[in-house]
Amino acid sequence: MKNKLTAFLLTASFAAVLAPSAYSQSIEQGTLGAAQDFDAGTMTFASGGLDPALWQGTSAATAKDLIARAPIQSTNPIIRDMVRTVILSAGVPPEGASTDYGRTRLAAVMALGDPGALQGVAQRLPELTSDPAVRADLALAMGDVAGACTMADSISEGRGTPMWARLRSFCHVTRDEIPAAELTANLLKKSGYEDALFFGLMNRLTGLSKKSLPDDLGKDPLYSAMANAVLSARADAPVVSLSATGAAQFAKDTTADKDLRLAAVFKAGSALSNDEINSVMNGLIYDGVTVENLQTAGAFDMDSVADIDTGLGFAQHYQLAKRGSGLAMTAVLQQAQKSGALMRFADVLKQELVNLPATEKIEHLDLYAGIAVIQDDIATLQALFGALPDGPQKVRIAFAADAIGQGFRLGTLGDDIEGRLSAKGEEGRRAVRDALIALSLGSTLTDAGAKALSGKRVDGTRTLPAGDIAVLRSVAKRSSRAETTLRAAILLDGATVDAASFAAVIEAMSTAQLYDFAGRLAAQDFLDAI
């Protein structure tokens, strides 16, 4: 493995130069349509998005179905990145694309919880956003309830349809017009409209029910806005149930409880910019502090900080991390990880992470190596490799670096993997998994490796359906990178899949030349055994 890593370090830049050329050669040449025949997006191939022919050979019906099922809120940051990249990439739309497909895609952009991305895409879709219903949804998704209600008031055509009746009912609540809200909702129900979630939320807003909110509110921005209204009316609001936009607004409320504001920061994600997160962190320390006590409030170190589970304590640790404290950095990232916001804070603290010495990072290797893999940060993996003593952890870092840098395409598996194939128990099972993943990334077997691997079986708690894998392989062969990415994301989201299933997905992604996603997913798997 040492030789393989050395080879990777010497050839990574060369492979990176070749990759775009090879990538483009697999795209079938054709005549592009007019500008309006392009899907608007905030990502291009040059900025990390998929190529313009991302939906090559995919029908609009299939694209719509996959986007609707995509795990936008996956707990795996790499899978979230895969979905986000497809949704935000500009390019030729799928075959037979219509307004229906466009609305589904725009709804997915709304569900990302990123106001900047939503605004960037929406302003490039004048034909779609000219529809008042779409504009109302956009306003709700951006947290502009008053703007959406103004549209509902002014609409005349189709005023009695469920879409507008639901919104008007909610708008009455926001204006404390409860009798009008109940009347509008009752008329809608008597018309035969069935929507248990809407009526349940209305009952909560009007005081007719105290039932807990469901965990899944779907992708309709109206439901998120209604849930935000339910929660904001409670002093003990479980802000983790707010939408990203609602959480961002709550986090910036200087009068709110500081512990709840911190929970809102964790939930807000990209709905808060880096500058806004910095501002909130300052606020958690200084908001409400009198002028004469400002200096005292800012005088803290690792020996005097408050508990990191509190809003004040987390903000103090955050400020110390900004000043270069490795202990504070680790504490902040671990707390963010517990709250589902690890990569948001890794991004905000990206420069401080770069400056933190590898000798400190190896004390929490799984944390910092995991962040490096998600961020596609080979330089950090190289630094960790150099700081580690010889041993299993160093080998794992080398595997991860090879996976991200396409190092497994340079030759055979290597002694580190082939030498463990004859081992018993967990070591042997891990060796088989490593071998299958490396082979899916392009490695080859020596005669000894082939002999050792022959007859090996895999086990696991989740095996992917053979039919799903066959479909994925077929799609990958025709280089439909958007469809391949979404199908892979849907298949891998959730519990860990068995080695053969995982390797099959990685191989299909490699076939479609989705080397970045395939490499990072493989590297993440290698690090699971660190």
Side-chain angles (χ1 to χ4, degrees):
M1 192 66 208
K2 294 175 186 176
N3 291 336
K4 283 176 61 58
L5 182 66
T6 301
F8 161 67
L9 297 178
L10 292 174
T11 61
S13 60
F14 179 66
V17 171
L18 288 180
S21 176
Y23 197 108
S24 61
Q25 287 173 4
S26 72
I27 302 171
E28 293 180 5
Q29 300 300 310
T31 302
L32 296 179
Q36 61 267 29
D37 294 328
F38 249 57
D39 265 343
T42 59
M43 299 179 70
T44 64
F45 185 38
S47 65
L50 298 180
D51 64 274
L54 69 165
W55 290 110
Q56 181 169 275
T58 301
S59 69
T62 295
K64 179 184 171 184
D65 172 65
L66 291 173
I67 291 173
R69 292 193 291 123
I72 291 174
Q73 302 301 332
S74 173
T75 57
N76 187 327
I78 299 175
I79 290 178
R80 289 201 305 272
D81 189 31
M82 291 165 62
V83 175
R84 177 186 176 85
T85 300
V86 171
I87 292 172
L88 295 182
S89 288
V92 180
E95 298 171 0
S98 62
T99 301
D100 199 26
Y101 156 77
R103 289 193 177 195
T104 299
R105 178 171 176 257
L106 186 58
V109 178
M110 294 182 197
L112 290 175
D114 185 340
L118 177 56
Q119 194 169 33
V121 171
Q123 68 185 8
R124 293 173 170 85
L125 297 171
E127 293 184 8
L128 188 60
T129 55
S130 63
D131 184 331
V134 174
R135 290 205 307 275
D137 279 347
L138 286 171
L140 291 171
M142 296 290 287
D144 183 11
V145 174
C149 290
T150 298
M151 295 179 208
D153 292 339
S154 62
I155 199 73
S156 55
E157 185 177 350
R159 183 176 178 81
T161 61
M163 187 274 170
W164 293 112
R166 291 185 316 156
L167 180 53
R168 284 201 312 279
S169 296
F170 173 53
C171 292
H172 285 310
V173 172
T174 65
R175 297 163 180 162
D176 291 326
E177 301 166 352
I178 303 304
E182 291 176 337
L183 175 61
T184 306
N186 286 334
L187 289 174
L188 184 59
K189 182 179 287 188
K190 289 179 179 179
S191 73
Y193 179 70
E194 297 181 0
D195 186 337
L197 181 54
F198 168 75
F199 290 115
L201 287 167
M202 281 299 299
N203 288 340
R204 280 298 307 272
L205 287 168
T206 56
L208 295 177
S209 170
K210 293 184 178 180
K211 289 184 179 180
S212 299
L213 298 181
D215 293 333
D216 185 6
L217 294 172
K219 296 177 181 178
D220 190 326
L222 174 61
Y223 297 150
S224 293
M226 294 174 75
N228 291 345
V230 170
L231 296 168
S232 63
R234 294 177 48 185
D236 61 340
V239 293
V240 292
S241 298
L242 291 167
S243 69
T245 303
Q249 294 173 337
F250 191 103
K252 291 183 285 188
D253 183 354
T254 60
T255 65
D257 178 86
K258 290 185 177 182
D259 293 350
L260 293 178
R261 289 177 67 191
L262 176 62
V265 172
F266 291 146
K267 179 59 188 290
S270 297
L272 285 172
S273 68
N274 289 2
D275 287 343
E276 287 174 326
I277 289 178
N278 284 325
S279 177
V280 173
M281 291 297 108
N282 280 328
L284 293 179
I285 297 174
Y286 297 108
D287 286 345
V289 177
T290 58
V291 174
E292 58 269 23
N293 289 323
L294 286 177
Q295 186 173 354
T296 301
F300 52 84
D301 56 23
M302 285 300 293
D303 292 327
S304 61
V305 289
D307 192 314
I308 196 166
D309 289 329
T310 66
L312 173 61
F314 184 89
Q316 289 174 332
H317 281 83
Y318 178 86
Q319 295 298 347
L320 292 174
K322 295 284 285 185
R323 299 173 196 169
S325 169
L327 290 175
M329 174 71 76
T330 299
V332 165
L333 294 175
Q334 289 176 333
Q335 188 68 15
Q337 186 174 40
K338 291 178 185 177
S339 303
L342 172 62
M343 295 315 299
R344 187 68 193 93
F345 276 86
D347 180 64
V348 177
L349 295 167
K350 194 167 187 176
Q351 187 55 54
E352 289 77 15
L353 273 170
V354 170
N355 296 336
L356 191 65
T359 50
E360 293 190 48
K361 291 177 180 175
I362 61 174
E363 297 299 320
H364 300 276
L365 187 60
D366 56 339
L367 174 68
Y368 289 105
I371 291 172
V373 164
I374 294 167
Q375 292 183 332
D376 201 14
D377 183 2
I378 293 179
T380 290
L381 291 175
Q382 293 169 348
L384 293 173
F385 180 86
L388 284 166
D390 289 344
Q393 289 185 324
K394 190 163 189 165
V395 170
R396 285 284 142 192
I397 296 299
F399 286 171
D402 273 353
I404 290 178
Q406 301 181 41
F408 283 104
R409 301 176 68 197
L410 300 176
T412 59
L413 288 181
D415 294 339
D416 293 301
I417 296 178
E418 289 190 355
R420 291 183 289 113
L421 287 173
S422 59
K424 304 296 184 182
E426 180 56 33
E427 183 181 3
R429 284 191 290 273
R430 184 66 238 191
V432 171
R433 188 175 184 95
D434 290 344
L436 294 181
I437 295 172
L439 291 170
S440 73
L441 291 171
S443 280
T444 58
L445 287 166
T446 64
D447 288 346
K451 183 177 181 180
L453 188 59
S454 296
K456 296 292 185 183
R457 298 181 180 276
V458 298
D459 52 20
T461 57
R462 189 161 75 101
T463 299
L464 297 179
D468 289 349
I469 292 176
V471 171
L472 179 66
R473 284 172 169 157
S474 174
V475 170
K477 287 177 182 177
R478 58 175 161 82
S479 298
S480 179
R481 279 173 265 277
E483 184 176 345
T484 301
T485 301
L486 290 184
R487 287 189 183 278
I490 292 168
L491 289 174
L492 293 181
D493 187 47
T496 301
V497 301
D498 69 78
S501 295
F502 184 75
V505 174
I506 298 300
E507 184 171 13
M509 297 179 74
S510 296
T511 298
Q513 298 185 9
L514 293 163
Y515 300 126
D516 171 63
F517 295 140
R520 284 194 287 152
L521 286 168
Q524 189 179 60
D525 197 276
F526 285 137
L527 291 184
D528 283 344
I530 205 163

